[in-house]
Structures are given as structure tokens and as C-alpha cells.
């Protein structure tokens, strides 16, 4: 293959060489030296000539194809600095003849153009006009630091280690940086001159870490390979504990007390992050959802403390704190200090129907305590397998705090303990009635993680499809029915409420055409898509339904009408028939409010509890009435 060689000598010299793609780099250097000798009229030492391609210096012993060099590619050539005992080759007047376009070239080099000939003549003229004698050729390169004084120690023109300039026959010059080293001064002294190229300790490359040709990268000696996580076999959840939440529950607020609409007892999720998205337990890592000023609303029973006791309908829960979390939080399982009645521990005390006491307290009527949603994790199966889910995290219903007290734990430090008792109308998931409900509602393990969404191989999918078809054929032959899949449908009472909401008939018809596998999916489609206010992007509050069929919050619509005029913020239709801003403020769609209250019991509590201000009072406050 033909390659172009660029060399800088007062100007850019271009020439061409012919090499084999499977040839050695050393052969290419020899060919480049001969071609440059013809182009520049000067002899180039092959040992000091280096070739560069793609920012890499071509090394002897390598093949051309190992650098992915192709036909008509360009190589850069340069001369390495000469050693002290190596004379500098400068051409005399008889060696300055430069080939012109009319001169004869070998078949490997095409004829140069007129522009290339002028450039080469300029280079030849500069080389010929240089006043250099044979005596000057024998002198070393001038040193700017010591002026080449033999008796002066200098690390720039002498040995880098000792600075002396003696013993030239035992002095090595690095083939990369050109600095000089005594063989006796090296960290590992040598007695014989190296036969091949020699590099100092600053320029030498470790062949074990240099990737050459088809050699693969060795990662066995890296820092990551030496970490404990590289050899551990325990699964830590695939990184889901520290991942960001994909969505947030908008059906209810984060401080909602009681059951989440659409979530039945027995619903389970594979990861805690999915429990967070459902709104059942908001903290993705912490076991208690609460603060020092508000009662707790949910907890996760995961057996994190040895003092935890689970009896199904009742359990004793241990508060948080006391662990040293300065290092690895996953392995910090030894309590090092007493627990205090602060933060989450205090929120559980506030949930008890008794005054907060630093020594503990008991509720006179435990049913008056705050309703707390309780989830059980598969981790408690080590101590109480009869109440633990097979995998993931399961919602087990509403519990209330009966009492709380302070006692010494197994570590010798004080812990706070809380007695919970179940108070839910739905049966527990470990009972026969609860298992029947799980099957009736179709409550399967919820898992929408990236790992679960990964596509299966085509062959495995085909086999699964074939088995499914065979099962259908067997059912037809035997006259049996396949397993019923639960589909959520509104109750007759809810259908009657929907029939009365005539202004949203088109939206309800669209909802009726779709199928939903659970009540939660039905509420998500309704509250996160169909009934989202286009202005505040939240579930519509004090909904006003326009003539064009859009549902908007009354305060949001009033603000839009004041700023942009009497038009619909979505479709820009004229809504002047709805009246002025004061009329729109009170034109709430009560039929839609009734439906949302039936689906979400806590809907509208914030704005319905506000006292209404009469017109005369509003006028008096604004100064319009004297």
C-alpha cells in the first residue's frame, strides 16, 4: 500500500513510500529514510527517525495493520535528538542536490508537482547556505546552562543522576526524551550496552498495561478489582435503594392518614422504591414516615433490630437510632448508643392516644390513636416466616399504637419499643379470607424495574407462546375454563354518579372503553391523566367544567381569565357564557366532586373546611361599604 510521509525541515516536505500492510514498522522507517534522502538531499539515520500515525508513535516489532493504517494514509516523521557521542549529520555542498520534477524517481514515488518542486528547492537552498564545517559537526549541542564545560556538573548535558560528563562510552541516551544516564548511576545498574532501543525510567512503558494491537485490557489489577464489592456474592437490591423515584403519588398528599385509595391489603411490591411511588410508605429507605412535629402515618417492619417481635395481629416495633452510620451503613448492625425520643421516635409517640412522656405512656383507648399503614418486608422471615411475604414488601393494613416504653436492648443500650395492634376491616393477608381476597382482587407482585422489563430472548418467548397455545387447546378439549383475570369495573353506585355528571360524558365514555387490572390503575388513569389541571398540573381542586369539556381548578381558571381573557386555557374556545370571574369562582362541578369523594375519601378536605366569607363581609373588608 502507498503512504504519504510529511517531514518538517524549514518547510513541509512531502514524499511517498510503498510498504506491505502486514510489514514491520522497522521496514517502513527504512523506506521513509530513503524517500526523505531523495526528497531533501540529506541522509537520515534510521535509528533516529520516528513515524507517528493518529497521535501514536509506531514501535518496532509491530505490524502496520495493528495500527489500522490504510492505503493513502499520512504519516508524520521527525528526528530524535542525537546523543553526545553521536555526530550530527549535516550535508555538505555536494549532497544538497534535490530532485526536481524532471529528475528520475523510482516507480514507488509519483512525480511531484511544480509547487512541491519550488518548496523542495527552497529547503535545499537553506541547507546549502548553512555555514557548517566538519569540525562543527563533531562538536556536541551547545548547553544553555553550563556552556558545555567538562568540569562543571550539569544534569541537562551530563548524567541526570550525578551531573558528571565522564565515561562517555558507558553513557546511555534515552530514545524518547534524549537525556543522558550513566550505566552505573541507573536505579538498576547495567554493565553492557543494550542492543535495542533504551528508555529511561520516566519514558519506559510497562508492557503489561500498554494495549498494543489486538491485546485486551487487563482489569485484574485495577483499584475497583481490589475493592470488597468485586468479590462479594450478596445481592444488595440492584441499586434500587439509592435510585431516584420514577413518579410520585398524586392521589393523596404525603401526610395522608389512613388507607391509600385503590390499594388493598395484600398488595406487594418488589422494591421499596415502588412502595414509595404507590404512596403507602413515602421514605425510600427509612422505616418510619413521620417527623418530630407530626404523628407517623406509615412504617415498614423489616426486622432491622433484634428486639422486634411479630405476632401477626400484634407486634412490638423498635424505634430508630443508636447505630453508628459513619462507615458502611449496610453492615452497621451493632448498636453503639441509646435511642432518644426525637424525630421519628417522637412521631410514633405522637401517634399514640396519650401525652408524650420521656418515660413512656399507654393509650386509654388505643382505637383513638392515629391510623398507621404497616408494610412487612420479606426480611422478617428469618424470625417470623408465618407472617412474612415470600418476596418484596407487602401492605398489611392499618395498625394503631397501644403503648410505648423505654428498656435496655440486647446490646446493653436503651431502645424505644412500641406495641402495635391491628385495626382494619379487611382480613390479614396470611389468613384464609385474606388469601381469598388476594386471589379475587388479582393482587400479584408489582415489579416495573428495568431488570423486569428486559426483553426475553426470541426463542424463550416462542416456547412460552407455544405452551400457552397448548394449554388453551387442552382447556377447549376438556371443557374447562382458564383462570379468570380480574378487571376493575365501577360499582353500580359509582356508575349512577357518573351518569349524573353530564358535562363530562365524553371523558367518562373514554374511561369506560379502557380496561384496568386494579382499582389503583383506574385511579391513576383518572387522577394523573384525565383530571389533571392543565395550569397547576395537579389533581383538579374545586373543579370547573368548561363548555368545551375541560376540567380546571376554579382559582387557576380565574387567574387565567384575568390575565389572558375569557377563553379556555387549553383549546382557546370562547367561554363568555360562563359569566364573569366572580361567577366562575363559585361554578364548581359538584357532581364531579361527589365522584371524587366516593373514590378518594380525603378529597376536598383542605378547601371545604375553609369558612365561607359572605358578600357583605368581603365588601366591608375591601372598603366598598361604609
Amino acid at each position: 500500500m502507498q503512504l504519504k510521509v510529511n517531514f518538517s525541515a524549514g518547510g513541509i516536505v512531502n514524499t511517498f513510500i510503498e510498504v506491505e500492510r502486514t510489514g514491520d514498522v522497522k521496514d517502513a522507517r527504512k523506506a521513509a529514510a530513503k524517500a526523505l534522502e531523495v526528497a531533501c538531499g540529506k541522509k537520515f539515520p534510521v535509528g533516529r527517525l520516528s513515524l507517528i500515525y493518529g497521535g501514536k508513535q509506531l514501535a518496532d516489532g509491530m505490524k502496520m495493520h495493528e495500527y489500522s493504517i490504510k492505503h493513502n494514509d499520512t504519516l508524520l516523521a521527525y528526528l530524535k535528538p542525537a546523543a553526545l557521542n553521536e555526530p550530527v549529520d549535516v550535508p555538505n555542498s555536494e549532497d544538497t542536490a534535490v530532485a526536481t520534477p524532471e529528475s528520475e524517481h523510482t516507480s514507488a514515488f509519483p512525480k511531484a508537482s511544480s509547487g512541491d518542486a519550488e518548496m523542495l528547492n527552497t529547503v535545499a537552498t537553506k541547507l546549502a547556505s548553512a555555514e557548517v564545517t566538519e569540525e562543527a559537526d563533531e562538536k556536541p549541542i551547545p548547553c544553555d546552562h553550563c556552556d558545555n564545560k567538562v568540569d562543571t556538573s550539569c544534569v541537562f548535558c551530563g548524567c541526570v543522576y550525578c551531573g558528571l560528563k565522564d565515561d562517555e562510552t558507558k553513557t546511555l541516551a534515552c530514545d524518547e526524551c534524549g537525556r543522558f544516564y550513566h550505566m552505573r548511576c541507573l536505579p538498576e545498574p547495567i554493565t553492557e550496552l543494550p542492543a535495542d532501543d533504551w528508555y529511561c525510567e520516566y519514558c519506559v512503558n510497562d508492557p503489561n498495561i500498554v494495549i498494543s494491537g489486538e491485546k485486551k485490557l487487563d482489569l485484574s489489577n485495577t483499584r475497583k478489582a481490589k475493592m470488597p464489592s468485586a468479590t462479594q456474592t450478596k445481592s444488595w437490591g440492584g441499586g434500587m435503594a439509592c435510585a431516584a423515584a420514577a413518579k410520585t403519588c398524586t392521589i393523596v398528599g404525603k401526610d395522608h392518614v389512613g388507607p391509600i385509595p385503590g390499594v388493598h391489603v395484600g398488595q406487594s411490591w418488589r422494591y421499596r422504591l415502588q412502595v414509595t411511588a404507590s404512596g403507602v410508605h413515602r421514605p425510600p429507605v427509612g422505616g418510619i414516615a413521620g417527623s418530630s412535629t407530626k404523628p407517623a402515618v406509615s412504617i415498614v417492619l423489616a426486622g432491622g433490630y433484634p428486639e422486634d417481635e411479630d405476632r401477626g395481629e400484634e407486634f412490638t416495633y423498635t424505634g430508630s437510632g443508636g447505630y453508628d452510620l459513619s462507615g458502611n451503613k449496610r453492615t452497621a448492625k451493632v448498636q453503639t448508643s441509646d435511642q432518644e425520643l426525637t424525630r421519628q421516635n417522637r412521631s410514633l409517640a405522637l401517634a399514640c392516644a396519650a401525652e408524650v412522656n420521656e418515660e413512656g405512656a399507654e393509650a386509654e383507648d388505643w382505637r383513638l390513636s392515629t391510623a398507621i399503614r404497616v408494610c412487612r418486608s420479606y426480611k422478617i422471615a428469618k424470625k417470623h416466616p408465618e407472617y412474612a411475604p415470600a418476596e418484596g414488601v407487602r401492605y398489611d393494613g392499618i395498625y394503631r399504637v397501644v403503648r410505648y416504653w423505654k428498656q435496655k436492648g440486647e446490646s446493653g443500650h436503651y431502645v424505644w419499643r412500641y406495641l402495635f395492634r391491628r385495626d382494619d376491616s379487611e382480613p390479614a393477608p396470611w389468613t384464609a379470607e385474606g388469601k381469598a381476597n388476594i386471589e379475587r382482587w388479582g393482587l400479584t407482585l408489582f415489579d416495573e424495574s428495568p431488570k423486569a422489563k428486559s426483553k426475553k430472548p426470541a426463542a424463550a418467548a416462542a416456547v412460552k407462546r407455544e405452551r400457552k397455545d397448548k394449554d388453551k387447546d387442552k382447556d377447549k378439549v376438556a371443557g374447562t375454563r382458564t383462570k379468570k383475570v380480574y378487571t376493575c369495573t365501577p360499582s353500580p353506585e359509582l356508575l349512577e354518579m357518573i351518569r349524573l355528571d353530564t358535562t363530562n360524558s365524553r371523558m367518562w365514555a373514554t374511561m369506560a372503553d379502557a380496561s384496568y387490572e386494579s382499582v389503583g390503575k383506574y385511579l391513576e388513569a383518572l387522577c394523573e391523566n384525565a383530571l389533571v389541571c392543565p395550569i397547576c398540573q395537579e389533581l383538579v381542586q374545586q373543579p370547573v367544567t368548561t363548555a368545551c369539556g375541560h376540567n380546571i381548578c376554579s382559582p387557576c381558571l380565574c387567574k387565567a381569565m384575568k390575565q389572558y381573557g375569557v377563553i379556555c386555557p387549553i383549546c382557546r374556545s370562547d367561554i363568555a357564557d360562563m359569566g364573569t370571574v366572580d361567577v366562575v369562582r363559585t361554578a364548581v362541578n359538584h357532581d364531579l366532586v361527589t365522584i371524587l369523594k366516593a373514590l378518594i375519601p380525603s378529597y376536598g378536605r383542605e378547601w371545604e373546611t375553609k369558612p365561607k366569607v359572605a358578600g357583605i363581609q368581603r365588601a366591608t373588608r375591601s372598603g366598598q361599604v361604609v
Side-chain angles (χ1 to χ4, degrees):
M1 60 181 176
Q2 179 178 281
L3 300 175
K4 185 178 181 181
V5 179
N6 288 353
F7 180 74
S8 176
I12 304 299
V13 178
N14 298 325
T15 184
F16 296 86
I17 61 174
E18 282 283 346
V19 295
E20 295 292 335
R21 190 171 183 273
T22 58
D24 295 336
V25 172
K26 195 170 185 179
D27 297 336
R29 290 168 56 191
K30 292 179 181 179
K34 291 181 181 180
L36 291 173
E37 182 179 356
V38 174
C40 299
K42 174 187 176 182
K43 188 175 181 181
F44 291 87
V46 179
R48 288 171 50 199
L49 185 65
S50 294
L51 300 178
I52 296 178
Y53 176 78
K56 297 179 181 179
Q57 181 176 332
L58 307 188
D60 290 345
M62 301 292 292
K63 304 293 183 181
M64 300 296 290
H65 69 86
E66 293 178 342
Y67 291 96
S68 300
I69 300 175
K70 300 178 182 179
H71 181 69
N72 285 335
D73 282 351
T74 302
L75 304 178
L76 299 180
Y78 77 96
L79 280 178
K80 299 178 184 177
L84 283 176
N85 54 0
E86 182 180 351
V88 180
D89 295 328
V90 179
N92 51 32
S93 60
E94 297 178 357
D95 298 330
T96 55
V98 180
T100 61
E102 292 78 17
S103 63
E104 295 183 358
H105 293 271
T106 60
S107 60
F109 305 105
K111 291 185 177 181
S113 61
S114 59
D116 293 338
E118 293 179 1
M119 180 182 64
L120 296 176
N121 288 331
T122 303
V123 174
T125 304
K126 290 183 178 181
L127 292 173
S129 61
E131 297 180 358
V132 182
T133 62
E134 294 183 359
E135 292 77 6
D137 294 343
E138 298 177 357
K139 293 182 179 180
I141 301 174
C143 178
D144 297 331
H145 300 274
C146 68
D147 198 18
N148 294 96
K149 295 180 180 179
V150 180
D151 55 347
T152 302
S153 178
C154 179
V155 296
F156 296 97
C157 62
C159 177
V160 172
Y161 290 107
C162 65
L164 300 180
K165 306 171 186 178
D166 60 340
D167 202 1
E168 293 186 3
T169 57
K170 297 295 183 178
T171 301
L172 299 177
C174 177
D175 289 322
E176 180 67 25
C177 62
R179 294 184 295 181
F180 306 106
Y181 299 84
H182 285 144
M183 295 168 58
R184 66 174 185 271
C185 296
L186 295 175
E188 296 181 1
I190 57 177
T191 57
E192 296 183 359
L193 293 173
D196 299 327
D197 293 342
W198 180 84
Y199 301 95
C200 66
E201 60 177 330
Y202 305 103
C203 300
V204 68
N205 291 322
D206 187 358
N208 296 323
I209 62 175
V210 174
I211 305 174
S212 58
E214 301 297 328
K215 183 179 177 181
K216 294 183 179 180
L217 181 62
D218 184 14
L219 300 177
S220 60
N221 200 32
T222 59
R223 180 189 174 196
K224 189 174 182 180
K226 297 178 181 178
M227 295 176 64
S229 58
T231 56
Q232 67 183 6
T233 58
K234 183 175 180 179
S235 175
W236 294 104
M240 296 297 291
C242 56
K247 66 174 184 177
T248 304
C249 177
T250 58
I251 299 175
V252 294
K254 66 177 182 178
D255 296 328
H256 173 75
V257 179
I260 302 297
V263 180
H264 294 281
V265 173
Q267 176 64 58
S268 57
W269 301 264
R270 184 173 296 278
Y271 298 111
R272 284 280 300 271
L273 200 64
Q274 297 163 348
V275 183
T276 300
S278 68
V280 176
H281 184 72
R282 300 272 179 164
V285 179
I288 305 173
S291 63
S292 58
T293 57
K294 296 181 180 179
V297 295
S298 63
I299 64 170
V300 173
L301 189 59
Y305 290 83
E307 294 81 11
D308 290 345
E309 298 177 3
D310 192 1
R311 297 177 293 277
E313 295 293 330
E314 285 186 353
F315 64 85
T316 305
Y317 188 78
T318 307
S320 63
Y323 284 166
D324 182 13
L325 302 180
S326 59
N328 190 342
K329 297 181 181 180
R330 292 173 174 170
T331 58
K333 299 299 181 183
V334 179
Q335 190 170 348
T336 57
S337 61
D338 297 339
Q339 292 184 355
E340 298 178 357
L341 195 63
T342 58
R343 303 177 67 179
Q344 283 77 17
N345 293 342
R346 185 179 179 83
S347 69
L348 289 177
L350 289 172
C352 183
E355 294 185 1
V356 179
N357 192 327
E358 292 294 335
E359 299 299 327
E362 183 175 359
E364 294 183 2
D365 185 1
W366 63 273
R367 294 185 183 275
L368 298 179
S369 298
T370 304
I372 296 179
R373 299 183 296 272
V374 173
C375 296
R376 279 182 171 87
S377 172
Y378 72 96
K379 297 179 181 179
I380 64 172
K382 295 180 180 179
K383 297 179 64 175
H384 306 283
E386 62 273 19
Y387 306 116
E391 54 182 334
V393 183
R394 184 187 64 204
Y395 172 59
D396 286 353
I398 297 298
Y399 284 71
R400 300 179 189 270
V401 180
V402 179
R403 68 187 184 96
Y404 63 95
W405 67 99
K406 185 178 181 180
Q407 74 175 42
K408 276 193 176 182
E410 295 184 5
S411 63
H413 296 278
Y414 282 98
V415 296
W416 280 99
R417 307 192 71 188
Y418 303 84
L419 176 61
F420 282 80
R421 188 171 296 163
R422 196 169 191 276
D423 184 25
D424 201 303
S425 58
E426 295 189 22
W430 55 83
T431 62
E433 297 83 358
K435 294 178 181 178
N437 270 357
I438 292 175
E439 186 176 355
R440 180 169 64 91
W441 291 104
L443 303 179
T444 57
L445 181 69
F446 182 85
D447 187 4
E448 290 187 352
S449 59
K451 188 176 181 180
K453 291 183 179 180
S454 59
K455 295 183 178 180
K456 296 182 179 180
V463 172
K464 186 177 181 180
R465 207 179 303 116
E466 184 179 354
R467 290 178 180 175
K468 194 174 182 181
D469 295 339
K470 288 182 179 179
D471 293 340
K472 287 183 179 179
D473 295 339
K474 289 181 180 179
D475 292 339
K476 289 180 180 178
V477 173
T480 59
R481 296 181 180 179
T482 57
K483 184 179 179 180
K484 183 180 178 181
V485 179
Y486 173 78
T487 303
C488 174
T489 55
S491 62
E493 295 80 5
L494 185 60
L495 289 175
E496 178 63 21
M497 297 178 189
I498 291 174
R499 187 187 64 81
L500 296 176
D501 187 17
T502 55
T503 54
N504 287 312
S505 57
R506 183 175 59 183
M507 180 194 71
W508 295 118
T510 304
M511 293 285 295
D513 293 339
S515 59
Y516 307 93
E517 59 185 14
S518 65
V519 180
K521 294 293 184 182
Y522 181 82
L523 288 176
E524 285 183 8
L526 185 65
C527 300
E528 297 182 5
N529 294 314
L531 292 179
V532 173
C533 176
I535 298 177
C536 65
Q537 294 298 308
E538 298 289 344
L539 176 62
V540 61
Q541 303 292 330
Q542 305 180 38
V544 175
T545 306
T546 62
C548 48
H550 296 115
N551 294 286
I552 309 171
C553 299
S554 175
C556 296
L557 182 58
C558 293
K559 189 181 297 183
M561 291 175 64
K562 290 179 180 180
Q563 188 169 359
Y564 301 107
V566 190
I567 57 175
C568 176
I570 301 178
C571 62
R572 305 299 180 186
S573 300
D574 187 9
I575 55 174
D577 297 339
M578 297 184 63
T580 62
V581 174
D582 292 334
V583 176
V584 170
R585 186 176 287 108
T586 59
V588 178
N589 187 349
H590 294 285
D591 294 328
L592 182 58
V593 172
T594 303
I595 296 172
L596 290 175
K597 280 188 175 182
L599 294 172
I600 309 172
S602 61
Y603 177 78
R605 289 179 181 175
E606 297 180 358
W607 45 271
E608 278 197 343
T609 54
K610 293 180 180 179
K612 297 181 180 180
V613 180
I616 186 64
Q617 294 174 335
R618 186 183 301 108
T620 303
R621 293 177 182 178
S622 60
Q624 298 178 5
V625 176
V626 181

